[in-house]
């Protein structure tokens, strides 16, 4: 291209091969735009979530039979009581997050037909893993369940 | 083109530099970051550096206070002794369940100090309740019921000291060191919340029995008999213990100084002053600080206002009460507690439901407290009457002269119906007092007057039979200066007032003219003075007859 | 190779796969890298964004003093508000109270939220200033004249939309500032009632009430108003602005680029060594199409075309100005936070409740007559501005600052007169009051017709007529009128901004305001 003659009226001004100033200006603009874009991309990722605490307090009814699930209103957790203590199993299906319903001998998911035993293990369907067990602690006469904290299956609060 | 290239280059580099500055500011110099960095190095186990908040949707709470006060965030370690990073002291309500601003006020959405605390110029619109008035925060939800007169509370507090109850029992964070059953045994009950949690009505008898059973030791040595009247005072005190001793004192003082005589709270009180039901939520951005020295804080405004009401609020009818610094402090605390926020009813405590839904009283209904609640601001806490600059004097009601002339019926009727058109309001309406309660107030007034015996009620219709025409002349000469030409009142009482004419007997009027009203400008017309001769009984009767003529006219 | 012959399709596939980077680049940029004049030209007209520009730009247009880059500043500021505005919409909730809280969230917890909101606010202000200055530039260089009359009108439309965007954005935070500014704005919309009431025809004919109702969707400023303002702010007005902006820039090109004097080439002198302007020989231009197509080919018959390729000459200029605009907005955003007062409280008016600064001049006039200040005089001014290119059809001085009869001396005289009369009138009204204070029973119509605003307008009009006669030129009249109104606008804005306190009372400084 540099060999092209200046005499052509249509191509009288070949771009100088080393236009440091122009390139620096372009790169500076590009860099600031890229940096600004990075800053903007941070905005949609909220620093704090407007969701309430995952911990909640619940009192078990006196009449709750051993091995029967108790689901506190508005929560996706089933609490069980047996001889060894109290434990909580999440009722959020591990497949795609539907809330499983209590069935005759465990839980059934209404969305894609997964079925679980009472201890959360998968019996049938597309669910890839067992329903997680959640941390339970005692506070006075009530129990505190932390939906955000998964514990090993079989962990009970004596 | 070179110029433009330079323009582009340097503008772009400038933008890049400023963006870097902004990024650094955003990521390293936020106030809450500094506190959390400190917590990360000082607190046991450290903390993650991130924004935190307590969310309680049902209370509309989204409090980011825990971003700086990270030691108060649920499950985070605290730094003991640090002003910002310390843990919350143990309280009845878990901050994780209620958030921060419900009790402390302030702006929970903010993440820097000025905005969160609502310091000068940053209230939008709720500043934080100053830490020393933190008890006022309870007023957001609670309305402590049936607080007694200040004197009664103080009497109980002094008795607790005198009988040394604090040796064994803890109360409001004090005492409870002695363990009568031995160090290993359970401690004596903490009395801090005894007014809410209740106590055994037979406690005194049981204490006495325990003492009788013990041959020696602490039970024998430290518990003694308590006088009957002191037991009543102790009961008042125990009932008032709800964990907020200062707030109870503050509220009691409010119901001792007669503030409700002019101000309504929750629909109960007089109408001369503004309704104070939500005074604690006042927006300092809207308050006039022209005449308030010091920083523009609600605390400063309240205090200066109590000191000199008419200066702070030009045109205010509220008189200067010459309050002590301690009284001003207590009343300021009480003002802060008047919040009564619009909470979901599911959160309402029992006391508030009782007051708002079932009309329970916020103060005791004994004569002394009722007098302190409605009457004391004008007639004086001891019934001595009050005289404020720029206002007609308020008559003494506990003076011997008045009490020896006025029958119980006369006083009760006056309280019930008031003096229409004058500042004396009637208190017999639904939100005031029942007849029985008015009777208790009358009894208290008599007690204030040293127990002057009540006068037998007489027939109001009975007339002394004076000469009206002569009375008119005498009235014009002696009375109209203060009481007005047509008895409309001025410095003196309004005599043409229909309630006065309907309730006062001729004898009451005649005797008042003859003996005067000590403590007011009403002189004793029955005795000669340097400027006028004494009025004879028939002259006085004539004046009374003239006054009676307005009864017909109206 | 043997594979390629046995499976030619598979071989082509692999070759295509290898060449994807090259073929992708070619499909993206037509005509190759912009290194020669020819490829630069195709770069400009082959690009959807760049082809609004001519392929070549006259050197006159590239002088900094010709335009000061104000049009580009306006566009850049608009683009900044557009980008930051879209970002803010991630968190903004257009519902009373929730709106306020969401702005607080943006301020306190949204990552970069505070900075982006500040940029949005400052870019909006920069845009208003730039648009006003751009209009002044176009006026003073006589660039509104034939063939650019219509584009002047399009530009006025853009000015109105810019002010509308700024004003509708004002309500969105739902704070005291917003609430009361909008209440006043809505009542100005209602102010034709001042006239219809005086004529006692409001119950039959009520354009004011209709305007207010349309604006607020309710009798008060409430959730309906917020939704409407939100819709206007984020949808209707930006779309209208983008559409008009497209027309505006397209017309700039179609009307022959930036206005320049006939002797521009002579004034420019020989080109600098590093540029290679094209000197088109006049006879080489073909006339056949130009004579068939109705319209103008401004380059024809004007001798040598003193132009340079738009890419990169114009490109660097525009990008430089745009980045400078970004720089200013970002710097301001770092220094000063966008205001957010207390939550809107319909019971407690702000005192003083002030409109955005660019409306404070009008608010100063509104203090005398709501109708005249808010609707009457702005309408007169807009109509007057719109008529300028149709009334001034002279040629002299086009493309030159303060060009035409009168020139700089007239502009200086007009500045003195414009400031002087406005100052005198304001001082008089502040010192002695106005008709209502002297004769309280005067009918409202008299005050509507006779108030500082109308008197000032009349004085300016009179001065302009004097200028027309004195210089024997409509351009002189336009210069006088425009300069006067600009000065009046500036003076009234300063008075409204700085010298008016609670109850719209005159104070020498905000520090003297009572109670604060």
């Amino acid at each position: 291209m540099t060999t092209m003659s200046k005499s052509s009226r249509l191509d009288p001004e070949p771009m100088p091969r080393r236009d440091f100033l122009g390139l620096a200006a372009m790169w500076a603009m590009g860099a600031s735009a890229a940096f600004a874009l990075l800053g903007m991309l941070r905005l949609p990722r909220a620093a704090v979530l407007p969701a309430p605490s995952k911990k909640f307090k619940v009192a078990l009814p006196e009449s709750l039979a051993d091995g029967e699930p108790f689901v506190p209103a508005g929560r996706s957790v089933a609490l069980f009581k047996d001889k060894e203590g109290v434990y909580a199993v999440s009722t959020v299906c591990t497949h795609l997050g539907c809330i499983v319903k209590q069935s005759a001998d465990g839980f059934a998911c209404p969305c894609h037909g997964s079925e679980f035993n009472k201890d959360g293990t998968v019996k049938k369907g597309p669910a890839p893993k067992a329903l997680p067990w959640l941390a339970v602690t005692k506070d006075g006469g009530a129990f505190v369940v932390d939906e955000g904290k998964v514990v090993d299956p079989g962990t009970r609060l004596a | 083109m070179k110029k433009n290239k330079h323009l582009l280059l340097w503008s772009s580099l400038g933008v890049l530099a400023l963006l870097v500055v902004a990024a650094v500011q955003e990521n390293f110099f936020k106030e809450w970051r500094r506190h959390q960095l400190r917590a990360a190095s000082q607190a046991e186990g450290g903390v993650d550096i991130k924004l935190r908040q307590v969310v309680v949707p049902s209370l509309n709470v989204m409090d980011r206070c825990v971003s700086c006060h990270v030691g108060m965030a649920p499950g985070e370690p605290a730094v003991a002794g640090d002003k910002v990073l310390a843990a919350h002291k143990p309280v009845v309500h878990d901050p994780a369940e209620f958030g921060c601003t419900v009790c402390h006020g302030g702006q929970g959405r903010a993440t820097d100090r000025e905005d969160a605390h609502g310091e000068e110029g940053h209230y939008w619109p709720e500043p934080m309740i100053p830490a020393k008035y933190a008890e006022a925060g309870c007023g957001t939800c609670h309305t402590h019921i049936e607080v007694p007169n200040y004197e009664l509370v103080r009497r109980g507090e002094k008795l607790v000291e005198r009988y040394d109850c604090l040796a064994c029992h803890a109360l409001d964070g004090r005492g409870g060191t002695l363990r009568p059953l031995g160090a290993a045994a359970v401690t004596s009950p903490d009395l801090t919340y005894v007014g809410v949690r209740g106590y055994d009505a037979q406690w005194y008898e049981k204490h006495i029995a325990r003492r009788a059973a013990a041959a020696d030791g602490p039970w024998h040595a430290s518990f003694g008999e308590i006088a009957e009247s002191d037991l009543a005072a102790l009961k008042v005190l125990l009932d008032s213990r709800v964990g907020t001793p200062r707030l109870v004192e503050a509220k009691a003082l409010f119901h001792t100084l007669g503030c409700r005589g002019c101000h309504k709270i929750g629909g109960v009180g007089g109408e001369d002053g503004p309704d104070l039901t939500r005074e604690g939520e006042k927006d300092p951005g809207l308050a006039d600080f022209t005449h308030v020295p010091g920083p523009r804080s609600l605390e400063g405004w309240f205090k200066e206002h109590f000191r000199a009401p008419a200066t702070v609020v030009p045109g205010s009818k509220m008189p200067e009460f010459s309050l002590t610094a301690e009284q001003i402090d207590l009343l300021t605390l009480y003002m802060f507690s008047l919040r009564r926020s619009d909470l979901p009813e599911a959160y309402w405590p029992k006391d508030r439901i009782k007051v708002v839904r079932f009309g329970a009283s916020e103060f005791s209904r004994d004569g002394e407290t009722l007098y302190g609640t409605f009457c004391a601001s004008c007639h004086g806490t001891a019934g001595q009457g009050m005289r404020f600059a720029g206002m007609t004097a308020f008559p003494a009601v506990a003076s011997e002269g008045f009490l020896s002339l006025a029958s119980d019926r006369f006083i009760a009727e006056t309280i019930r119906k008031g003096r229409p058109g004058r500042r004396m309001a009637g208190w017999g309406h639904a939100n005031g007092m029942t007849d029985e309660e008015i009777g208790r107030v009358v009894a208290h007034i008599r007690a204030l007057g040293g127990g002057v015996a009540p006068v037998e009620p007489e027939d109001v219709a009975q007339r002394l039979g004076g000469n009206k025409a002569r009375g008119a002349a005498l009235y014009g000469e002696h009375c109209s200066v203060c009481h007005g030409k047509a008895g409309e009142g001025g410095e003196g009482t309004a005599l043409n007032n229909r309630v006065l004419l309907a309730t006062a007997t001729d004898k009451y009027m005649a005797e008042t003219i003859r003996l005067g009203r000590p403590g007011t400008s009403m002189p004793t017309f029955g005795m000669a003075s340097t400027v006028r001769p004494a009025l004879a009984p028939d002259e006085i009767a004539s004046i009374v007859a003239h006054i009676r003529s307005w009864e017909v006219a109206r | 190779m043997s594979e390629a012959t046995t499976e030619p399709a598979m071989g082509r596939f692999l070759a295509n796969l290898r060449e994807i980077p090259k073929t992708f680049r070619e499909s993206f940029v037509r005509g190759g890298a912009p290194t020669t004049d020819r490829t630069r030209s195709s770069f400009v007209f082959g690009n959807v964004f760049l082809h609004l520009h001519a392929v070549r730009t006259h050197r006159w247009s590239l002088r900094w003093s010709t335009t000061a880059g104000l049009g580009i500043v306006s566009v850049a500021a608009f683009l900044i508000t557009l980008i930051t505005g879209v970002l803010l919409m991630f968190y903004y909730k257009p519902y009373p109270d929730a709106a306020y809280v969401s702005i607080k969230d943006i301020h306190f917890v949204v990552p970069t939220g505070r900075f982006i909101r500040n940029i949005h606010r400052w870019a909006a202000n920069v845009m208003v200033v730039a648009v006003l200055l751009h209009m002044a530039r176009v006026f003073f260089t006589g660039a509104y004249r034939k063939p650019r009359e219509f584009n002047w009108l399009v530009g006025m439309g853009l000015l109105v939309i810019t002010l509308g965007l700024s004003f509708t954005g004002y309500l969105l935070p739902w704070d005291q500032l917003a609430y009361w500014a909008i209440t006043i704005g809505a009542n100005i919309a209602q102010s034709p009632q001042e006239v219809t009431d005086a004529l006692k025809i409001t119950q039959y004919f009520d354009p004011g009430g209709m305007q207010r109702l349309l604006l607020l969707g309710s009798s008060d400023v409430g959730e309906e108003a917020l939704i409407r303002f939100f819709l206007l702010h984020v949808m209707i007005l930006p779309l209208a602005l983008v559409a008009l902006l497209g027309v505006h820039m397209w017309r700039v090109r179609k009307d022959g680029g930036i206005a320049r004097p006939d002797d521009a080439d002579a004034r420019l002198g020989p080109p600098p060594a590093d540029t290679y302007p094209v000197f088109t020989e006049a006879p080489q231009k073909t006339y056949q199409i130009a004579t068939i197509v109705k319209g103008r080919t401004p380059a024809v018959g004007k001798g040598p075309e003193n132009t340079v390729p738009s890419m990169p000459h114009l490109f660097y200029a525009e990008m430089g100005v745009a980045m400078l605009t970004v720089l200013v907005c970002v710097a301001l955003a770092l220094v000063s936070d966008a205001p957010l007062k207390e939550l809107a409280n319909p019971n407690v008016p702000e005192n003083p409740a002030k409109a955005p600064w660019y409306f404070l001049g009008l608010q100063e006039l509104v203090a005398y007559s709501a109708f005249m200040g808010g609707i009457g005089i702005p309408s007169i001014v807009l109509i007057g501005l719109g008529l300028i290119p149709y009334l001034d059809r002279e040629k002299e001085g086009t493309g030159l600052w303060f060009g035409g009869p009168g020139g700089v001396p007239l502009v200086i005289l007009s500045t003195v007169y414009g400031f002087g009369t406005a100052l005198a009138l304001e001082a008089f009204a502040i010192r002695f009051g106005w008709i209502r204070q002297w004769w309280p029973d005067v009918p409202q119509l008299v005050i509507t017709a006779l108030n500082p605003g109308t008197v000032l307008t009349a004085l300016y009009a009179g001065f302009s007529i004097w200028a027309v006669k004195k210089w024997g030129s409509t351009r002189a009249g336009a210069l006088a009128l425009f300069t006067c109104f600009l000065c009046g606008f500036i003076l009234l804005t300063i008075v409204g901004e700085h010298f008016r306190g609670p109850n719209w009372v005159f104070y020498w400084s905000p520090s003297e305001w009572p109670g604060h």
Side-chain angles (χ1 to χ4, degrees), chain C residues 49-70:
Chain C
F49 300 108
L50 293 180
H51 90 283
L52 274 172
H53 298 103
V55 166
R56 303 187 68 85
T57 309
H58 198 280
R59 274 176 55 220
W60 182 267
S61 310
L62 287 173
R63 296 190 326 159
W64 285 11
S65 64
T66 304
T67 62
L70 286 165

Side-chain angles (χ1 to χ4, degrees), chain C residues 9-175:
Chain C
M10 204 54 211
R12 279 206 308 279
F13 171 78
L14 290 172
N16 288 350
L17 201 62
R18 275 194 299 275
E19 288 186 353
I20 278 179
K22 181 166 162 272
T23 47
F24 174 75
R25 201 169 55 241
E26 281 170 6
S27 71
F28 178 62
V29 186
R30 286 168 210 266
T35 48
T36 68
D37 257 22
R38 196 194 302 272
T39 49
R40 279 178 204 159
S41 303
S42 72
F43 187 80
V44 171
F45 66 66
N47 182 299
V48 68
F49 300 108
L50 293 180
H51 90 283
L52 274 172
H53 298 103
V55 166
R56 303 187 68 85
T57 309
H58 198 280
R59 274 176 55 220
W60 182 267
S61 310
L62 287 173
R63 296 190 326 159
W64 285 11
S65 64
T66 304
T67 62
L70 286 165
I72 297 298
V73 172
S74 313
V75 175
F78 172 65
L79 290 178
I80 296 169
T81 53
L82 196 69
I83 294 167
T84 50
V86 168
L87 288 170
L88 291 174
M89 280 165 68
F90 274 93
Y91 290 97
Y92 177 73
K93 302 176 185 74
Y95 197 79
D97 297 13
Y100 181 76
V101 165
S102 68
I103 302 271
K104 284 289 182 198
D105 285 354
I106 288 170
H107 188 83
F108 285 112
V109 295
V110 170
T112 70
R114 183 187 308 199
F115 188 48
I116 283 176
R117 176 165 173 258
N118 291 348
I119 296 178
H120 188 73
R121 181 253 187 160
W122 279 114
N125 277 301
V126 166
M127 186 175 166
V128 172
V129 174
V131 166
L132 287 172
L133 290 179
H134 178 57
M135 184 173 80
R137 191 285 293 175
V138 169
F139 176 83
F140 283 122
T141 56
Y144 52 82
R145 287 169 172 171
K146 190 179 170 185
R148 301 181 176 83
E149 306 100 314
F150 185 72
N151 216 14
W152 170 261
L153 293 183
V154 174
M156 280 178 52
L158 286 168
L159 170 69
V160 171
I161 294 177
T162 303
L163 294 178
L165 269 169
S166 201
F167 185 65
T168 49
Y170 216 70
L171 177 66
L172 303 188
W174 202 250
D175 62 347

Side-chain angles (χ1 to χ4, degrees), chain A residues 19 28-29 35 42 48-50, chain B residues 5 12 19 27 51 53 62:
Chain A
D19 178 16
M29 182 173 75
F35 197 78
R42 279 198 59 191
V48 280
L49 304 178
Chain B
K5 281 182 185 169
S12 301
L19 289 179
N27 291 304
L51 275 172
Q53 62 183 6
M62 203 176 269

Side-chain angles (χ1 to χ4, degrees), chain C residues 362 365-366 369-384 448 451-458 485 492:
Chain C
L362 293 186
L365 297 182
V366 164
S369 159
F371 173 71
M372 269 303 160
I375 293 187
I377 292 173
S379 303
I380 293 171
V381 169
L382 281 180
I383 292 170
T448 303
N451 59 60
T454 53
V455 171
L456 200 60
T457 309
F485 270 111
L492 291 175

Side-chain angles (χ1 to χ4, degrees), chain B residues 22 32 64 77 89 181 233 271 315 327 355 385 389 395 435 442 450 457 471 480-481:
Chain B
W32 57 269
R64 289 151 190 162
K89 70 175 186 186
L181 300 177
E271 280 163 359
Q327 284 176 323
V355 167
D435 286 356
V442 174
S480 61
V481 175

